[in-house]
Amino acid sequence: MAVKQTPLIAQYLSVKQRVPDAILFFRLGDFYEMFFEDAEVGARVLDIQLTSRNKDGVPLCGVPYHSAQPYIAKLLKAGHKVAICEQGTPDPKTPKLMPRQIVRVITPGTVGEEMVLTAAEKSYLVAVTGAEGIGFTLAALDVSTGEFLATQVREASTLCEEIARIAPREIVIAAKDGELSAMLKDLNCSLTTLDHESFSAERATAAFSNRFAAAFSDLHESIAHTAGIALLYVEDTFGRDLAHIAAPRLYRIAEYMVVDETTRRHLELIASSDGARKGSLLSILDETLTAVGARTLCNWIIYPLMALDAIHARHDALEELFDADLGGTLAESLKRIGDLERLAGRIGAMRASPRDCLRLGDALGAADSLKQGMGALKSPLIREQAARISPMPTLVAQIAATLSE
């Protein structure tokens, strides 16, 4: 069928040129519409009706804008990127055609939306640079919490094992790294090849040094470069700086016992033989009260400590907690705190609702009770963690004075 290029379709094609590798959610009134090939893919993946516009014969399908998140989640799980294009205030010169612009590109590794994320799992984006013979640098960023990690490895096999252990949602590499792309394509993870000019070593390193000036001088150039790529990528997809992202924490793989992917799978450490969490060691041990605790426990299982001092300190803390009464105030405080990491992430990404701010005030109030309860225990590790808790009573009072249910 011949397609007539109306002003709306011309506008759509102009916007689509900016995101050729993403499914474009094009806002029309109360719906996000998909056109052309995007509509065909969207209809198939989302199991919705594919139709066409009467005016121009263009294939289309759509989803309600107020309930778009489940559809976005389904597309992301199928390995697609989603670009959100919103409509603006009508221009008096062209009253029949509203201005539209892309406000966000959501990729598998840059998800911050609560409905799309799995509460008990981290959601890492991994950036990789390097080559066989000179070594590799890996930077892992969880945009939902702001956690940022970086490490260096010598061998390609070690790199692939570490990426499998991190289990990222997406891997990003520079366009010129054909050898790296070939090495990583079999990792069963979404792989994004970046434009070399936009994500050059100079631009990435500059972005990192501007954001983390205090940490920059102490880091190897390759770490600043790789971490800078991850930072640039997530801030480009969000369209703004993200205040909650922490400076990278450097770690050495040798600090932890190496448990390769085959061993993890056979021992069913975090997933059973059918890939589900139920029936795994993690599912048996997990009696955590918060999503933060569940993610931490999973991390402890796949990164077993090697240093005896650290092992003894953790055992002493667990022994005291096991012997103590963990009900009452401590348990209630933890339940009220909830997923404070991802709550802070939404606030840092400027995507928080007023209700999120109320939840923050309640969580900080609970953190004060938790700090007092932990301070009464004797374990040095527990007391050290208690000392790091900052309840911020002034902020709690400001939230309470400004917002109400």
Side-chain angles (χ1 to χ4, degrees):
M1 180 186 293
V3 172
K4 179 183 176 183
Q5 191 169 116
T6 61
L8 179 70
I9 293 302
Q11 184 188 53
Y12 169 85
L13 292 171
S14 175
V15 174
K16 178 63 181 174
Q17 284 181 342
R18 294 182 51 200
V19 285
D21 60 341
I23 303 293
L24 181 60
F25 272 33
F26 192 77
R27 179 75 177 272
L28 279 177
D30 290 337
F31 284 81
Y32 285 124
E33 302 287 3
M34 291 160 271
F35 297 116
F36 298 104
E37 292 86 354
D38 285 0
E40 294 171 2
V41 173
R44 183 177 68 252
V45 174
L46 302 175
D47 193 22
I48 56 178
Q49 182 67 41
L50 178 67
T51 182
S52 62
R53 281 170 54 88
N54 293 331
K55 291 183 179 180
D56 42 39
V58 172
L60 72 84
C61 65
V63 300
Y65 87 94
H66 55 79
S67 58
Q69 283 198 8
Y71 298 101
I72 293 172
K74 206 167 183 180
L75 287 166
L76 292 172
K77 286 177 182 176
H80 299 285
K81 301 177 183 178
V82 179
I84 307 297
C85 178
E86 294 289 0
Q87 56 194 24
T89 305
D91 187 340
K93 296 179 181 179
T94 55
K96 293 184 179 180
L97 186 65
M98 302 183 77
R100 291 177 174 84
Q101 64 177 354
I102 294 172
V103 297
R104 171 91 189 278
V105 179
I106 308 173
T107 74
T110 60
V111 176
E113 285 73 13
E114 197 170 13
M115 187 179 292
V116 182
L117 295 163
T118 302
E121 297 176 5
K122 293 178 183 284
S123 181
Y124 284 118
L125 165 86
V126 161
V128 182
T129 61
E132 192 76 75
I134 63 171
F136 303 90
T137 301
L138 177 155
L141 172 58
D142 185 343
V143 74
S144 70
T145 64
E147 183 183 17
F148 210 171
L149 309 171
T151 192
Q152 293 176 299
V153 299
R154 293 294 303 173
E155 306 296 332
S157 58
T158 308
L159 172 70
C160 291
E161 280 291 353
E162 185 59 15
I163 292 175
R165 179 155 64 167
I166 291 171
R169 299 291 187 264
E170 183 178 6
I171 303 170
V172 294
I173 60 172
K176 66 176 183 176
D177 287 329
E179 182 181 330
L180 197 55
S181 177
M183 184 192 311
L184 301 175
K185 66 181 176 60
D186 296 326
L187 285 176
N188 194 29
C189 179
S190 176
L191 179 63
T192 299
T193 302
L194 304 175
D195 172 55
H196 179 61
E197 290 187 9
S198 299
F199 293 88
S200 65
E202 293 77 13
R203 182 168 179 255
T205 303
F208 182 87
S209 64
N210 289 338
R211 177 63 183 274
F212 301 114
F216 177 69
S217 59
D218 298 328
L219 294 179
H220 190 280
E221 185 178 340
S222 66
I223 292 177
H225 169 208
T226 310
I229 288 175
L231 183 67
L232 275 177
Y233 183 68
V234 299
E235 293 192 339
D236 277 2
T237 60
F238 272 82
R240 63 172 72 90
D241 293 346
L242 301 177
H244 67 291
I245 295 177
R249 177 178 67 81
L250 303 185
Y251 73 99
R252 293 185 306 110
I253 293 175
E255 295 174 15
Y256 306 96
M257 182 184 295
V258 176
V259 184
D260 62 40
E261 185 177 14
T262 303
T263 304
R264 288 196 303 274
R265 187 168 59 250
H266 287 170
L267 294 178
E268 298 183 325
L269 295 181
I270 59 174
S272 57
S273 56
D274 62 357
R277 189 174 185 271
K278 186 177 181 180
S280 67
L281 174 65
L282 175 61
S283 69
I284 295 169
L285 295 178
D286 189 2
E287 294 190 26
T288 57
L289 297 177
T290 69
V292 181
R295 293 193 295 268
T296 300
L297 178 61
C298 178
N299 196 64
W300 284 7
I301 291 173
I302 61 176
Y303 282 94
L305 295 172
M306 293 283 284
L308 281 177
D309 289 347
I311 293 171
H312 289 155
R314 184 178 290 177
H315 284 179
D316 290 344
L318 289 173
E319 183 178 15
E320 183 172 12
L321 290 171
F322 188 80
D323 293 338
D325 177 13
L326 295 182
T329 303
L330 282 177
E332 287 305 312
S333 297
L334 287 169
K335 290 175 183 177
R336 284 174 57 202
I337 287 171
D339 199 344
L340 185 55
E341 270 189 330
R342 285 184 172 164
L343 176 58
R346 291 195 297 279
I347 292 171
M350 301 293 286
R351 299 186 65 80
S353 66
R355 191 172 298 278
D356 282 331
C357 294
L358 285 171
R359 287 168 62 190
L360 175 64
D362 188 46
L364 290 174
D368 188 27
S369 300
L370 182 66
K371 181 183 178 76
Q372 294 178 35
M374 290 173 65
L377 299 174
K378 297 178 181 179
S379 161
L381 186 58
I382 295 174
R383 296 178 72 88
E384 177 187 324
Q385 296 302 316
R388 294 177 58 191
I389 297 175
S390 178
M392 301 182 181
T394 303
L395 177 58
V396 173
Q398 288 178 332
I399 292 172
T402 306
L403 299 171
S404 66
E405 290 285 355

